[in-house]
Amino acid sequence: MTNNQPKEQGDGQGPARKPRGMGGVILILALVMALFLILSSSNSGGQSSIHAFRSHLLNGRLSNFTLDAQGTVSAQVNVEGQPDRPIEVVVRPFLASDPNEAALYERLAAMRLDTTLYPIPEEATKRFLSDVREQRIRVENAFFVKEVEPVSTNNTTRQDGARQPGSYLTAILQRNSELHYVRLDPPPSSSSPSLQQVTSELVDRGVPVRSYLLSLGSSDFRVTEPNPALIGILGMIGPWLLVLAIVWFFILRQMRSPGGSGGVLSFGRSRAALYTKENRTNVTFDDVAGMEEAKSEVREIIEFLKNPGKFARLGGSIPRGVLLVGSPGTGKTLLAKAIAGEAEVPFFSISGSDFVEMFVGVGASRVRDLFKQAREASPCIVFLDEIDAVGRKRGTGMGGGHDEREQTLNAILVEMDGFDSDKGIILVGATNRPDVLDPALLRPGRFDRQVVIDRPDVKGREAILQVHARKVKLAAYVDMPTIAKATAGFSGAELAAVINEAAILAAMKNKESVDMSDLEEARDRVRWGREKRSRAIEEEDKKVTAYHEAGHAIVSMLTPDQDPVHKVTIVSRGRSLGATMSLPEKDDYNHWQKKLLGRIAVCFGGRIAEQLVFGDVSAGAQNDIEQATNLARVMVCELGMSEKVGPIKYTADDENPFLGKEFRLSGGVSQRTLELIDEEVRRIVDEQYQAAMTMLQDQRLALDTIAEALLKYETLSGDECSAVLRGDDLGEFRAAQERQRQTAEKEAQRAQREQAKAAQEQQPNAAASDENPEAGLSGA
Ligand code: ADP
Ligand code: ZN
């Protein structure tokens, strides 16, 4: 065995020296810890008292139960052979984490254990299970409880003999429409089902079962509010200690950073983790869908990166920087990576917001360091994400931060000017606020080319969906164009999320593949958040929502030039209680006057339906009114659609009301014009309100039918709504649709099988028929 092992490889990191400050940090940490210990020890009684509280509650040993607004429970504990004692427990944290918790406590506190239902321990679980199976009883809630001795039993002042170690199951159940509360203990013989078996069967049957692990520690009840004096002390010195500890920590970290041998002097060295370098990004243009223009704009950059010398020889100048402009999630990072991937060059990336950190002068030196590395690795791509964080117009900053930003920006500018164009470093910047960038950044020779990346249009969305769908298993029948149509306004990232959510949904339902319903549900989730079926909506509220949405749908279907209704739902999502969605046939940038007027009417449909049916309106129409008013204002003040006001633009320029931002008139509008604008907006709104009112009065029957159908099915498609309006029977219509869908699905599956078969047949002679051009073509 030779013993010439190399010395530790010199990777720039000497053996870690123990910095001098270490002792101080430990001291401070110890102090903080000690304080926390004192505080928490005053709390530990409280910790176990919640256990005792639960145990008494679940065993029906509490009386005079009250729960106050501060989340404190007070009650009497009644244990046989002992005097009653009062308890007080803070349960606030549990209430906050579960909205049903308080109701559950009150319910349980009112229960007494019923020992007459299952009196024989040997048979209790068996009887119970068979009662459940034969539906003689209906279990509403069950609790699987395990009471255990605490690990450290140094405080053995247990006073009540009521609690014993072991597990048991309690349940609130209905029998002959009477409520009972029972407790099952583990059966003494193994011929009866165990508690675990009972529990899992209950879970399978959809009974909510909670399990509790309760410690038999101190049962001394006390209010668990921490000692106010201690809180005061900690409140006074705690923050100072924390600040000290944090500062110490940062200084330590700096000294330990790579190249730490320089100690404090090495502050500015770029930390390895600050930017990332990928030698191969493995992203190609195939992964980037639906931005053909942007792709073709950067194509020459790829050529250049592949062969920098070629361009320099002919004297052509290649941009040094490309600025990708687009809102978040539109694929700027993706495109930058794809450039690197296509050109097969390394990819350095760093985010502007990382620079705006800590000590002055650090950012600038990090920039220099980054570029030094990039020069060594050229040709390569340097990607500066969120460049607006450092590249804001200089001299507009406030406070201490802007000095740092300015220095960083200057360093970037100097570096950009400094590298020769034939070096083959391309800077790619990304921002969604090109307007705030310092003009110096946009000068020739710097980021002189801007590539705007818009949110994708219908075609683009379909392409992006297809790209991401490659990663999941799709059902034979999936109509991507419909999903693409129904995702207007989604960014690439949101579309990727739709596919991902759909795959998760399908997996949760144990499906073989992702089908249309998963995709639709996923789209709704991405747009509005999860369905909230569990949100207990009062029956009456549901009815109001159903009529409200039915009103929108009917007006939308009866108004000319409106996009067809795609679906109507009263399943609440996010903050909305229901929704009526229309699907534009194509992405719609033309807003014709008639269409806009109709949209105002549609907005009012919901509110009018409420008024017609209930004689009153709910607050749910607020958003509709806002939308209608905004539309009318835009028509009058921006689009010149009021003859009286004329084709003059009255709004301030910096906002676009179509994006839902605040509506603001520009200055210098005369009082008379203001009045005129008001009048016209009022007129448009009134006319459309009246139009919608007439429609709904005429269609009262359809309104009732659709609302009832919504209450029954919760969601209706646009076709189903039209069927109701035509007077068709909804049940029959649904059945017919389902038959149609199944046929289409079978058809698609058959086609797929045939394709596969054809491909298989072609496989053997494909190799042989190399010179047969036709075979090659048909295979493509
Ligand atoms: P940005 O940098 O503009 O905020 P990203 O490039 O980080 O956006 O995009 C986030 C994700 O969205 C990407 O990883 C990709 O999965 C998806 N995505 C965005 N645009 C596209 C696109 N045009 N084609 C395919 N996927 C896209
Ligand atoms: Zn509405």
Side-chain angles (χ1 to χ4, degrees):
M1 198 174 132
T2 50
N3 203 6
N4 58 350
Q5 271 178 336
K7 281 213 171 142
E8 207 169 52
Q9 215 69 72
D11 56 355
Q13 251 173 312
R17 275 189 307 139
K18 191 173 169 188
R20 271 170 299 151
M22 202 67 155
V25 174
I26 290 174
L27 197 79
I28 287 173
L29 284 182
L31 259 168
V32 172
M33 288 268 277
L35 262 167
F36 271 116
L37 271 181
I38 294 171
L39 193 75
S40 58
S41 75
S42 81
N43 234 341
S44 66
Q47 279 294 328
S48 47
S49 67
I50 187 76
H51 291 236
F53 161 67
R54 283 228 154 92
S55 170
H56 292 316
L57 180 70
L58 285 165
N59 282 287
R61 290 192 289 255
L62 295 184
S63 61
N64 294 348
F65 179 93
T66 54
L67 176 56
D68 69 10
Q70 273 77 48
T72 310
V73 159
S74 39
Q76 293 272 340
V77 184
N78 327 108
V79 176
E80 234 177 286
Q82 285 177 24
D84 287 1
R85 53 203 157 90
I87 60 160
E88 220 171 337
V89 185
V90 175
V91 294
R92 194 184 315 119
F94 304 96
L95 303 185
S97 62
D98 184 347
N100 302 322
E101 192 83 2
L104 187 68
Y105 289 166
E106 309 223 331
R107 185 149 196 230
L108 280 169
M111 297 279 179
R112 288 290 165 271
L113 279 178
D114 183 339
T115 49
T116 57
L117 223 46
Y118 302 105
I120 310 162
E122 283 80 23
E123 296 183 342
T125 53
K126 201 172 12 183
R127 286 256 188 105
F128 179 82
L129 261 190
S130 74
D131 279 353
V132 168
R133 286 182 190 142
E134 276 142 44
Q135 300 187 349
R136 277 189 295 269
I137 59 175
R138 201 169 63 77
V139 182
E140 292 183 1
N141 283 89
F143 308 89
F144 184 74
V145 187
K146 209 166 183 177
E147 305 219 22
V148 293
E149 296 279 2
V151 185
S152 63
T153 39
N154 50 2
N155 95 31
T156 45
T157 49
R158 275 174 49 198
Q159 316 171 341
D160 65 81
R163 299 182 62 197
Q164 296 298 333
S167 46
Y168 53 91
L169 183 85
T170 69
I172 304 176
L173 56 87
Q174 275 203 38
R175 185 188 169 102
N176 303 332
S177 69
E178 262 178 57
L179 267 189
H180 296 267
Y181 186 56
V182 299
R183 166 172 163 161
L184 301 177
D185 286 292
S189 73
S190 57
S191 61
S192 281
S194 70
L195 290 183
Q196 278 78 5
Q197 277 167 309
V198 177
T199 310
S200 64
E201 179 141 356
L202 286 178
V203 170
D204 286 346
R205 284 171 185 272
V207 176
V209 181
R210 293 180 179 228
S211 9
Y212 293 118
L213 187 69
L214 303 181
S215 162
L216 289 168
S218 158
S219 62
D220 244 0
F221 281 98
R222 93 170 76 146
V223 179
T224 59
E225 298 287 14
N227 187 336
L230 272 171
I231 284 278
I233 294 172
L234 197 76
M236 251 165 11
I237 53 173
W240 292 106
L241 286 180
L242 223 70
V243 165
L244 252 160
I246 287 170
V247 167
W248 223 297
F249 174 74
F250 270 110
I251 290 176
L252 255 185
R253 214 169 59 146
Q254 281 297 333
M255 294 203 286
R256 285 218 209 109
S257 62
S261 48
V264 180
L265 291 176
S266 73
F267 263 122
R269 285 276 298 184
S270 171
R271 271 184 287 135
L274 186 69
Y275 59 83
T276 52
K277 178 187 177 194
E278 292 175 48
N279 281 324
R280 284 274 174 278
T281 61
N282 289 325
V283 179
T284 67
F285 271 0
D286 285 344
D287 302 312
V288 187
M291 42 166 114
E292 296 311 320
E293 283 149 52
K295 275 200 230 171
S296 67
E297 286 208 43
V298 296
R299 214 156 246 141
E300 69 184 61
I301 293 171
I302 295 171
E303 276 300 308
F304 165 69
L305 284 170
K306 276 184 168 164
N307 194 348
K310 183 169 91 183
F311 285 79
R313 211 170 48 235
L314 296 177
S317 93
I318 281 292
R320 274 179 214 168
V322 184
L323 191 62
L324 305 179
V325 178
S327 46
T330 43
K332 299 183 291 294
T333 313
L334 191 72
L335 183 64
K337 281 192 176 178
I339 298 172
E342 287 282 329
E344 299 182 344
V345 298
F347 178 79
F348 291 86
S349 77
I350 187 164
S351 176
S353 56
D354 292 343
F355 282 127
V356 192
E357 192 193 2
M358 300 214 306
F359 306 101
V360 175
V362 179
S365 68
R366 279 179 192 165
V367 169
R368 284 192 287 276
D369 194 63
L370 169 65
F371 277 92
K372 189 161 154 276
Q373 306 269 340
R375 263 193 291 272
E376 283 160 15
S378 72
C380 67
I381 294 268
V382 175
F383 180 60
L384 290 166
D385 205 356
E386 300 178 60
I387 196 167
D388 43 297
V390 281
R392 271 174 199 263
K393 290 189 183 85
R394 280 171 290 188
T396 56
M398 300 185 342
H402 92 119
D403 242 6
E404 167 65 3
R405 227 182 42 213
E406 229 160 74
Q407 288 191 22
T408 310
L409 177 58
N410 284 339
I412 292 177
L413 294 174
V414 167
E415 291 291 338
M416 282 187 90
D417 292 342
F419 51 71
D420 295 332
S421 59
D422 63 340
K423 266 289 189 220
I425 301 177
I426 297 278
L427 219 64
V428 180
T431 181
N432 60 344
R433 299 291 312 272
D435 49 319
V436 302
L437 288 185
D438 196 295
L441 266 176
L442 306 175
R443 231 166 267 149
R446 292 170 181 165
F447 285 110
D448 46 8
R449 181 170 306 194
Q450 288 199 17
V451 176
V452 176
I453 305 185
D454 282 321
R455 289 186 175 233
D457 61 3
V458 151
K459 283 233 184 66
R461 289 198 299 270
E462 190 182 339
I464 294 174
L465 285 168
Q466 298 286 11
V467 163
H468 290 278
R470 291 194 306 224
K471 292 172 221 150
V472 303
K473 195 164 176 302
L474 286 184
Y477 177 73
V478 165
D479 188 5
M480 261 333 167
T482 299
I483 300 290
K485 267 193 208 168
T487 44
F490 277 40
S491 69
E494 284 164 328
L495 291 168
V498 167
I499 297 286
N500 191 41
E501 277 277 334
I504 292 172
L505 280 168
M508 293 285 285
K509 292 183 198 149
N510 291 325
K511 287 190 193 171
E512 287 287 299
S513 53
V514 178
D515 64 26
M516 216 38 200
S517 64
D518 301 320
L519 286 166
E520 297 234 348
E521 166 70 20
R523 176 213 50 211
D524 292 352
R525 274 195 187 183
V526 172
R527 174 173 291 176
W528 284 307
R530 275 154 192 278
E531 273 190 6
K532 286 193 189 149
R533 280 184 198 277
S534 61
R535 183 201 274 186
I537 301 171
E538 300 291 321
E539 218 35 46
E540 188 64 10
D541 282 353
K542 228 170 155 175
K543 209 168 150 194
V544 173
T545 310
Y547 270 99
H548 180 103
E549 298 306 331
H552 282 311
I554 287 177
V555 176
S556 175
M557 283 187 291
L558 292 179
T559 309
D561 304 309
Q562 291 304 298
D563 297 323
V565 170
H566 176 61
K567 81 178 205 182
V568 189
T569 178
I570 56 167
V571 177
S572 71
R573 281 169 195 281
R575 284 174 55 211
S576 81
L577 292 174
T580 302
M581 280 176 71
S582 312
L583 261 203
E585 297 285 71
K586 52 188 187 333
D587 277 5
D588 198 5
Y589 298 114
N590 288 324
H591 298 280
W592 294 100
Q593 183 169 356
K594 260 203 218 144
K595 183 168 183 178
L596 289 178
L597 286 174
R599 236 162 74 187
I600 297 178
V602 174
C603 286
F604 285 130
R607 180 188 159 93
I608 294 172
E610 287 179 23
Q611 186 149 41
L612 280 180
V613 178
F614 305 99
D616 198 0
V617 290
S618 72
Q622 179 201 1
N623 191 17
D624 295 335
I625 293 177
E626 193 179 318
Q627 216 183 338
T629 322
N630 259 349
L631 273 171
R633 283 188 181 150
V634 172
M635 289 180 70
V636 173
C637 303
E638 293 230 310
L639 306 175
M641 287 178 179
S642 150
E643 261 175 44
K644 274 197 198 155
V645 174
I648 297 170
K649 182 170 179 296
Y650 287 109
T651 47
D653 230 348
D654 50 339
E655 30 223 325
N656 179 348
F658 274 123
L659 299 178
K661 297 213 182 104
E662 196 192 342
F663 190 89
R664 196 158 63 82
L665 291 178
S666 49
V669 182
S670 76
Q671 190 59 37
R672 213 180 75 78
T673 314
L674 279 181
E675 276 163 25
L676 204 59
I677 288 175
D678 267 352
E679 241 170 64
E680 283 294 279
V681 169
R682 179 88 219 198
R683 178 186 60 83
I684 290 178
V685 164
D686 281 349
E687 277 174 14
Q688 293 314 313
Y689 192 89
Q690 208 46 52
M693 177 69 99
T694 317
M695 267 180 234
L696 285 174
Q697 275 168 341
D698 288 350
Q699 296 290 341
R700 180 61 206 262
L701 195 67
L703 182 65
D704 287 336
T705 321
I706 291 185
E708 268 157 33
L710 276 175
L711 282 172
K712 190 165 160 200
Y713 299 111
E714 299 203 327
T715 302
L716 295 180
S717 72
D719 291 341
E720 286 166 346
C721 289
S722 320
V724 172
L725 264 190
R726 280 198 310 267
D728 294 356
D729 183 76
L730 196 60
E732 271 168 36
F733 184 81
R734 285 206 147 189
Q737 287 254 306
E738 177 62 20
R739 278 197 297 278
Q740 241 177 29
R741 200 187 58 76
Q742 279 174 357
T743 325
E745 201 161 311
K746 273 197 198 117
E747 192 63 22
Q749 277 166 354
R750 202 175 50 84
Q752 232 178 24
R753 270 199 303 276
E754 251 161 43
Q755 236 177 6
K757 216 158 81 187
Q760 241 174 19
E761 275 164 13
Q762 230 162 33
Q763 208 68 39
N765 46 7
S769 60
D770 242 3
E771 65 276 55
N772 181 349
E774 255 177 79
L777 270 182
S778 67

